[in-house]
Structure formats: structure tokens, C-alpha cells
Amino acid sequence: MNEWPNGWSGDQSGNRYGYGSGSAEPEGARAMPQVRRGAGPGYQGHEPPMPASMSPRRGATVPPQQSQGYDDSYDDGYNTGQVYGGGRGGGAGYDDYGAAGRGRPRPRWGKRIKWTVITLVAVLAVTSVATYFWADGKLRRKVDLSKVIDRPETGDGTNYLIVGSDSREGMTAEQKRKLHTGSAEGKRTDSMMILHDGSNGPTLISLPRDSDVEIPTYIGSDSGKKYPGTGRHTKLNAAYAEDGPELLVRTVEYNTKLHIDHYVEIGFAGFANIVDAIGGVEMDLPKAIKDKDSGADFPAGKQTLNGQQALAYVRTRHAFAQQDLDRTKNQQKFLATLASQTATPATVLNPFKLYPTMSAGLDTLVVDKDMSLWSLGEMFFAMKGVTGGEGKSMNMPVSGSNGGNLVWDKAKLRQLVQQLNNDEKVTVSGN
């Protein structure tokens, strides 16, 4: 049988090597007729049959070939060498960067946004933790409430005793003159308030410094000696002058039967520095105030008070008919406004205002040894809630005076303490 096309034979090839030839010379290359597909009309050539392993399945068709990068109208009749069915998905020449690999890489915005958010969260977390430990380390935990004896039972909610002292600690002679503090030695309390923070909103109760109270049996804060009570009555601020914060807490608890959970105190200089750090506090005064002793001289209407002016405002009493009672109302109003204007995004989210404000306050705050920074923050926001309509502010109910000292209304006091201990809505009215 003839193995060569068109009637050729092995002898006609010019050599017999490669088909069982025994010659030592290698077989020469054999020319094969070129195979063309679809060379155009009139072409009568025949293609050799495709091997079974490469032939398309029955009923299948070969997809048309697409030319890329040149004019599709020209067909040279030769197979371009494309492999059908190969590759993944979008056909030959397609990749992740767009059609035929010719486009610019697509920006992966989802991944960028994700990592940006993760980075911001990480930075905020680290900053928050660092700020917490920095601020916590600046708290001056000097008051030891474990020295207070015979304490009332604790009730629901949290009770803070907030004290504004007239301490001149660390103040220069120029600062004392400027702030009208005088040069008296020692410390006294200019203002005292109980802030109750509970489920029915905060309640702020001012304790007039001229309140008539009994000094009970107590343990000296420094000496550790026990001083028996003798039934002696005096003004409330005298308890602080006599033996400091521990005796003041003991006296308040004894005369009210209300358990004090935390103690917070701030002096003159610290108060003024906080106000200056936030850029002043805006107040709306219903009438003009002038008091040479405190240095207050304010017209009626809206105005922004700086640290010096704010201190003069909260210390003023001689300009009012009820003196100390009217002063405590102004103190409540100012402190609640100060808290409201400080706890704003403009301060909390601005490190150039937040850190000076926190530093000014924490440097001069004196708190009890069990006070945490978290509890201090809760107290601050409870104070803000007083002006936000969430709570109530009032003076301690007073029934009269006994020659200069204000006498508390015992019946109203019992009802008030009961409502606070049970964390009920306060219905008692003060003066």
C-alpha cells in the first residue's frame, strides 16, 4: 500500500531513511503540502481528517475566531493558533485589569476604605487608652473615707459631695489680688453640694455654708484620735475648717442620714483655670450684679465670663437679699452651665482644647481614694444633665434661722433622703 500522498512512493522521495532505512545517514526533512482552511472561493483543497481526540463533540460548533489589534475584514486563511475553551471565564486576553488587558487597574476602593477605617479605629483606641491612663494618673486621691465612722447605709444611685474650697494653695500674691481671694491662711468651703445620680435623673442639692449642724463623734484625719461628740452646733463650713474633708463628710452624713459615696473638691485657682481653658462660659444674667468683696461687676444680659469673672460670680452674696441662699442658686446654675458647655464635640474631639481643660481641672481636683476616672466622668455628665432638663436642682429645705445659722426643715429632709435612697423621683421642694 502506498504511504505517500498523490501517488508518491518511498523511492521517489530521494532517500529511504526514516522508514526502516539501514543507512548511517540521517533521514532528510520531508516537505508536506501546506494545509489551509477557508482560503477563499474556488479553493478545492481538502483538509486531512482531524484526529478523533481533537474533533469537536457531535453537534458542537467551533466558535468564530476574533482578531485583536488589526482589521477584522482581512482574513489570511491561516489558523491564528488560538485555543478554544482555554483560560478562565472572560475569554482570551482578559484579566483583572479590564477588557483585553488594555485598561488601567481598577482602584480597589472597598479594600482602601476598610483599611482606613481599621487604622482610624486603632489610632482612636490607642489615644483613648493613653488619655485614660494619663488623666487617671493626675487625680489627687487624698481623702480617705474609710476614716469616717458610723456611716449610714448605702442607698440606690450614687451620691457625690462636691466642695468648692477657698484654698489659696499655689497662688501668688498677684493672683490673690486679681481674683479677690484675700490672704487668709488655711482652707474653708465656699460652696457645698450633694449630687445624686440615679435612674430618675440627677438631683443637685446645695448645702448653704451657714447651715446649722451638730458636730458628731469623729476620728481625727491626721491624729487618728477619737473626738467624742458633745452636741456642739456650728456652721457647716466650720466642720471642714476644723478637720478637713473627712469631718465634713462625717458631719453631712450624721445630719442628713444620707450615705456619701464620693468626695470631689476644687480650689479657687483650679476653678478659674478650667473656665479659661474652655474659652469662658456664656451666662444670661437676669439683672446686673455688683459686689466689691468678690469683685463682681456685671451688666444684665448675655455675656461670656472668663475665669476671674466666673469666680467672682459664684462667690458673690452681698449683692443678694438672701445672701447665701441666692448665692447657692447662682453656683448651681453656673456649674451646670459649665458642664454643659464643656461636654461638647468642640471640646471633647479637639485635643488642643480637651487636654488643657482636663489638665487644668485634674491638677487642682482633690478626690477620695476610691474615686475612679470613670466615676468622675459620670459625675460630670450628671451635672450636665441638670441643665439639660433631665434632673432637678434645689437648695436644702430650710425652716428658718437661729441667730444667723440656717435651720434645715427636718420633715422635708427626711422625705428627701428617703426618695434619694430609694432612687425615686424627688418631689420635695427647697428654698
Side-chain angles (χ1 to χ4, degrees):
M1 181 176 180
N2 194 347
E3 299 172 323
W4 300 94
N6 297 329
W8 286 26
S9 67
D11 293 337
Q12 292 170 315
S13 65
N15 60 60
R16 297 176 58 85
Y17 303 108
Y19 252 92
S21 172
S23 172
E25 296 181 15
E27 181 181 1
R30 290 176 294 181
M32 296 291 291
Q34 197 171 52
V35 179
R36 304 184 66 191
R37 294 183 181 178
Y43 177 66
Q44 302 298 323
H46 300 281
E47 295 180 356
M50 183 178 292
S53 61
M54 296 181 62
S55 61
R57 288 175 297 181
R58 180 174 298 176
T61 59
V62 177
Q65 300 181 23
Q66 296 179 358
S67 61
Q68 298 180 19
Y70 54 83
D71 187 358
D72 289 342
S73 63
Y74 173 75
D75 186 351
D76 61 3
Y78 288 93
N79 191 331
T80 60
Q82 289 177 323
V83 179
Y84 297 101
R88 295 173 297 172
Y94 282 75
D95 54 28
D96 293 340
Y97 296 102
R102 296 193 300 271
R104 298 175 63 183
R106 292 188 186 127
R108 299 182 178 181
W109 291 110
K111 187 172 291 187
R112 292 182 184 180
I113 293 173
K114 181 183 76 172
W115 282 109
T116 299
V117 171
I118 291 175
T119 302
L120 288 175
V121 170
V123 170
L124 287 174
V126 171
T127 303
S128 299
V129 171
T131 300
Y132 182 90
F133 283 104
W134 167 78
D136 189 72
K138 293 178 74 69
L139 279 179
R140 302 166 66 191
R141 298 179 174 92
K142 292 186 174 182
V143 180
D144 189 357
L145 296 184
S146 67
K147 295 179 180 179
V148 180
I149 61 174
D150 301 331
R151 308 192 68 185
E153 293 292 328
T154 59
D156 295 331
T158 304
N159 299 316
Y160 302 86
L161 181 60
I162 303 172
V163 174
S165 77
D166 63 359
S167 171
R168 290 127 176 112
E169 180 182 0
M171 295 177 64
T172 64
E174 174 61 21
Q175 288 175 317
K176 293 176 183 178
R177 183 195 64 78
K178 182 179 179 180
L179 297 176
H180 294 265
T181 64
S183 299
E185 297 298 326
K187 294 197 302 182
R188 284 167 297 278
T189 54
D190 244 26
S191 61
M192 290 161 285
M193 303 178 188
I194 294 174
L195 175 64
H196 174 83
D197 186 19
S199 58
N200 278 294
T203 302
L204 185 62
I205 308 160
S206 286
L207 309 177
R209 71 173 191 172
D210 293 338
S211 297
D212 184 83
V213 295
E214 180 181 340
I215 301 295
T217 300
Y218 69 96
I219 302 295
S221 58
D222 293 328
S223 65
K225 181 180 176 181
K226 188 173 185 177
Y227 296 90
T230 61
R232 174 170 57 99
H233 280 245
T234 185
K235 294 181 178 182
L236 181 59
N237 67 339
Y240 180 91
E242 187 171 323
D243 199 56
E246 288 85 357
L247 179 54
L248 178 61
V249 171
R250 168 71 175 128
T251 303
V252 169
E253 289 188 340
Y254 179 82
N255 286 270
T256 63
K257 303 301 185 286
L258 183 69
H259 183 91
I260 300 299
D261 298 292
H262 292 294
Y263 177 91
V264 180
E265 175 188 327
I266 188 168
F268 281 164
F271 181 83
N273 289 341
I274 292 175
V275 175
D276 285 334
I278 66 169
V281 175
E282 184 178 334
M283 298 290 295
D284 188 1
L285 307 183
K287 61 180 182 180
I289 299 175
K290 189 168 185 177
D291 183 1
K292 66 177 183 178
D293 292 327
S294 68
D297 189 3
F298 310 120
K302 287 186 178 181
Q303 53 205 289
T304 299
L305 306 183
N306 61 25
Q308 175 185 347
Q309 294 169 326
L311 184 60
Y313 174 76
V314 299
R315 295 182 63 221
T316 296
R317 65 171 180 162
H318 297 296
F320 308 124
Q322 290 185 297
Q323 293 202 8
D324 205 34
L325 289 176
D326 285 336
R327 177 170 69 169
T328 56
K329 294 177 183 178
N330 286 340
Q331 290 171 346
Q332 289 178 348
K333 181 179 179 181
F334 183 86
L335 290 178
T337 303
L338 172 64
S340 180
Q341 294 183 16
T342 302
T344 62
T347 298
V348 175
L349 300 179
N350 184 353
F352 298 103
K353 291 191 70 174
L354 176 62
Y355 281 88
T357 301
M358 292 183 68
S359 182
L362 296 173
D363 282 342
T364 55
L365 277 180
V366 175
V367 299
D368 64 272
K369 292 187 175 181
D370 293 327
M371 172 72 84
S372 67
L373 192 63
W374 181 265
S375 294
L376 188 63
E378 289 183 321
M379 183 203 80
F380 185 77
F381 281 97
M383 182 76 75
K384 178 183 178 182
V386 173
T387 55
E390 303 169 9
K392 178 177 182 177
S393 62
M394 58 182 288
N395 276 331
M396 179 64 76
V398 174
S399 60
S401 64
N402 59 0
N405 293 353
L406 298 173
V407 178
W408 293 347
D409 188 315
K410 302 297 183 182
K412 286 187 175 182
L413 174 59
R414 283 193 297 270
Q415 183 182 2
L416 173 62
V417 171
Q418 181 181 359
Q419 291 175 342
L420 294 177
N421 279 332
N422 295 333
D423 205 12
E424 299 171 351
K425 185 176 180 62
V426 173
T427 60
V428 178
S429 60
N431 297 80

